[in-house]
Amino acid sequence: VAFIPWHEWWGPAVVYLAAFVLCFNAGFMNGASMAGMYKYGSITSVTGTVAHLGVEFQHGDLDKAKHYGLLLFSFFTGSSICGLYIPNKHVQIGKQRYGYALFNTSLFIVLATYFNNEDFS
């Protein structure tokens, strides 16, 4: 077994630990929101929506499951469209089209809020 110097494994170990802590925190927040006052919406991004989707499938409420499935589809579609606007992997302020992506994201959020006709409360 070869000895690996600490400076070669320390960086990845910290990243993995931070990723674990963030995932744990997201799961904890999802559980707290599902048990509390945010019963019909998630307070985290995709993980809360996936958790709600699973719970609604388990309860057999296909209308709410469809709602959360469409939320997931919309998130991934919007992420893909923003990826088309910003094709580079590296952040380059002033050289990429961040304004277009943010404007379209804001526009779709406003439109979704305006056209929302379902009340889950």
Side-chain angles (χ1 to χ4, degrees):
V1 176
F3 176 74
I4 302 173
W6 71 271
H7 59 81
E8 291 183 16
W9 61 264
W10 177 251
V14 169
V15 170
Y16 287 130
L17 178 64
F20 171 78
V21 169
L22 287 173
C23 290
F24 179 81
N25 187 37
F28 178 78
M29 294 305 295
N30 290 330
S33 72
M34 291 172 77
M37 58 189 256
Y38 297 107
K39 192 185 303 185
Y40 298 111
S42 57
I43 57 174
T44 59
S45 181
V46 175
T47 55
T49 306
V50 170
H52 281 289
L53 177 66
V55 167
E56 298 308 333
F57 265 128
Q58 183 211 10
H59 290 170
D61 192 348
L62 296 182
D63 287 335
K64 287 184 186 174
K66 181 182 85 170
H67 171 76
Y68 291 119
L70 287 173
L71 279 174
L72 283 174
F73 175 76
S74 299
F75 176 82
F76 288 116
T77 303
S79 298
S80 299
I81 291 171
C82 286
L84 294 174
Y85 281 123
I86 308 168
N88 197 348
K89 294 180 185 177
H90 304 289
V91 176
Q92 297 175 346
I93 303 297
K95 296 185 180 187
Q96 297 292 336
R97 298 178 280 192
Y98 297 112
Y100 293 119
L102 290 173
F103 175 77
N104 286 336
T105 302
S106 301
L107 177 68
F108 285 125
I109 289 172
V110 169
L111 287 174
T113 304
Y114 179 75
F115 289 112
N116 182 18
N117 59 2
E118 296 184 28
D119 184 19
F120 286 114
S121 58

